[in-house]
Amino acid sequence: MLKQQNKTQAALRSLIYPLCREADDLYARGQYAQAEQLYLRALVLTELLCGRDHRFLAVICNNLAVLYKYTGRFDEAAQLYQRSLVITESALGAEHPDVATIYHNLGGLEHARGRFSAGEPHARRSVAIRERALGSDHVDTAADLAALAALLDGQQKYGEAEPLYLRALEIFERAYGPEHAEIAVSLNNPAALRQAQGRLSEAEELYRRALAIKEKQLGAEHPGVAFTLNNLAVLLMKQQRDQEAAQLFERALASFAQTFGPEHPRVIICRRHLARISARRPALTLPQPAA
């Protein structure tokens, strides 16, 4: 038994952990296809060398599911999250913070699908576990609060959502400072809420702050920047500020197309927005010939 455990640990250290670290790095840089291949290799190796219920297999399943959610492969993400949840609850118990992480991610998946009420129980479960395990002011609790707020926001429960957004933002700013990448994510959510309420100047201020942070921390070409570009462009388009909006949509479209391919829903939506802007531009008046 001990000999087998030693072989398992050696395989993890020499083969699987390095693969996952490289995959994590590729994902962080927006190189999703390459990251997927390494996660899949790590998953197969873990099953073969460590067993189908090994604790680290749950980590790989979760990380690959995050990638699939981000790239629109929702059904595959759901299967991997559920597999990760079963392994993690069996290994660590139902009240462990790692279990909260998976419920958080399940809620986020439902948000990405637009199934906000279906995601709310997952998000509430993650908040409850995390507050008991880590306390109400922990940054992981703040992330869960923001995720719950986004699902409430999607159901137009604005009075419940906004205080949770602001509480999460306060915790992040206290922990990380005002220029951390997590702050940009946290700013986007209350910006969207205020946009939905018609508080457009407040929303624009938050989107622009989020964009500045993301460009500084991630670089102007990172696909994470494109999401904020798109959100700000939609806001500007609603205000009839078409020239500004078109410039941002074009930047977002180029990034989405390069990252996800020409048929991804984000690419299609950007194209539709640009077509709408183009259609409502006044036709050029041709000069009349001299009499």
Side-chain angles (χ1 to χ4, degrees):
M1 181 68 175
L2 182 59
K3 185 177 180 180
Q4 180 59 42
Q5 289 177 344
N6 289 338
K7 286 177 65 177
T8 297
Q9 288 301 315
L12 287 167
R13 285 193 301 270
S14 63
L15 293 173
I16 297 165
Y17 291 162
L19 274 176
C20 289
R21 283 194 294 270
E22 187 176 354
D24 292 344
D25 185 58
L26 288 166
Y27 175 82
R29 299 203 307 266
Q31 299 178 29
Y32 302 124
Q34 298 94 318
E36 179 191 1
Q37 293 307 309
L38 295 187
Y39 282 135
L40 289 171
R41 282 178 60 193
L43 190 150
V44 170
L45 284 170
T46 305
E47 288 180 331
L48 288 173
L49 300 175
C50 307
R52 292 181 57 84
D53 58 353
H54 191 275
R55 171 72 187 92
F56 195 69
L57 191 62
V59 175
I60 301 170
C61 287
N62 178 78
N63 292 351
L64 183 56
V66 170
L67 186 154
Y68 283 160
K69 186 210 84 168
Y70 198 78
T71 54
R73 296 163 66 177
F74 299 142
D75 290 341
E76 293 168 273
Q79 293 173 2
L80 287 166
Y81 280 140
Q82 289 295 340
R83 186 177 179 190
S84 181
L85 181 63
V86 169
I87 295 170
T88 305
E89 285 189 327
S90 176
L92 303 176
E95 293 296 310
H96 194 276
D98 287 358
V99 173
T101 296
I102 302 170
Y103 277 113
H104 172 109
N105 291 342
L106 283 166
L109 177 62
E110 296 301 340
H111 185 276
R113 289 173 129 163
R115 297 173 2 183
F116 306 117
S117 61
E120 183 180 341
H122 296 311
R124 290 194 181 279
R125 176 77 172 132
S126 68
V127 169
I129 295 171
R130 201 89 68 180
E131 285 186 329
R132 285 193 292 268
L134 303 177
S136 60
D137 291 328
H138 195 279
V139 291
D140 290 345
T141 304
D144 290 339
L145 291 169
L148 173 58
L151 290 159
L152 295 170
D153 186 352
Q155 299 173 71
Q156 300 183 352
K157 298 178 181 178
Y158 301 134
E160 295 179 74
E162 187 164 18
L164 297 180
Y165 280 142
L166 296 178
R167 182 179 158 200
L169 181 60
E170 179 184 357
I171 295 169
F172 285 135
E173 287 184 320
R174 190 165 59 242
Y176 299 135
E179 297 297 317
H180 192 274
E182 191 65 48
I183 303 301
V185 176
S186 299
L187 288 166
N188 184 80
N189 293 327
L193 183 148
R194 291 173 190 188
Q195 179 177 338
Q197 292 178 307
R199 298 155 63 185
L200 300 185
S201 61
E202 297 176 54
E204 182 178 349
E205 181 180 350
L206 294 178
Y207 280 138
R208 289 196 182 279
R209 184 181 166 199
L211 181 60
I213 294 170
K214 280 190 174 184
E215 288 182 327
K216 180 178 178 180
Q217 299 296 334
L218 303 176
E221 304 306 315
H222 192 280
V225 173
F227 286 92
T228 304
L229 288 169
N230 179 80
N231 293 342
L232 178 56
V234 170
L235 176 69
L236 296 173
M237 187 173 69
K238 288 183 177 180
Q239 297 175 290
Q240 307 291 316
R241 295 159 64 181
D242 287 353
Q243 184 173 354
E244 295 173 81
Q247 291 173 349
L248 298 183
F249 277 133
E250 286 166 0
R251 282 184 60 194
L253 175 61
S255 179
F256 286 144
Q258 182 177 3
T259 303
F260 301 130
E263 301 306 317
H264 190 272
R266 291 281 179 178
V267 174
I268 294 169
I269 289 170
C270 275
R271 286 186 181 136
R272 285 175 182 167
H273 285 319
L274 283 167
R276 284 179 59 194
I277 290 172
S278 179
R280 70 189 191 191
R281 284 174 177 162
L284 292 174
T285 301
L286 297 178
Q288 296 299 313

